[in-house]
Amino acid sequence: MTEQPLQQEVSIEELQESIDELSAYRERLYNDVVGLGKKLRLSQKKIDATISEHPELTRIDEVLDQLKAQRNAQSSQ
């Protein structure tokens, strides 16, 4: 068997596809959190605070930033 390098160079198209899919997932999760907050009749301030402190949304934003930076770095090469 041949070993592949740990970090393979990915194409800009693959990065963009990952960004698009993760963005769509983030949008669904965001809408779910807002929808649940409204069902629970939370104030908009409380919903906003929940969103800003939501660990999964925060992590998705971090990963999206990394993917976008990687895509931009590759496209400028």
Side-chain angles (χ1 to χ4, degrees), residues 8-23:
Q8 292 183 357
E9 202 58 37
V10 294
S11 71
I12 293 173
E13 293 80 19
E14 290 171 320
L15 285 170
Q16 187 59 51
E17 185 178 317
S18 296
I19 290 168
D20 293 343
E21 290 176 10
L22 196 54
S23 294

Side-chain angles (χ1 to χ4, degrees), residues 30-55:
Y30 175 89
N31 289 334
D32 287 349
V33 172
V34 170
L36 186 57
K38 287 181 179 181
K39 280 185 182 179
L40 294 173
R41 298 182 182 189
L42 298 176
S43 68
Q44 187 61 45
K45 185 176 179 181
K46 180 66 176 167
I47 293 172
D48 292 341
T50 301
I51 288 170
S52 67
E53 296 170 2
H54 195 283

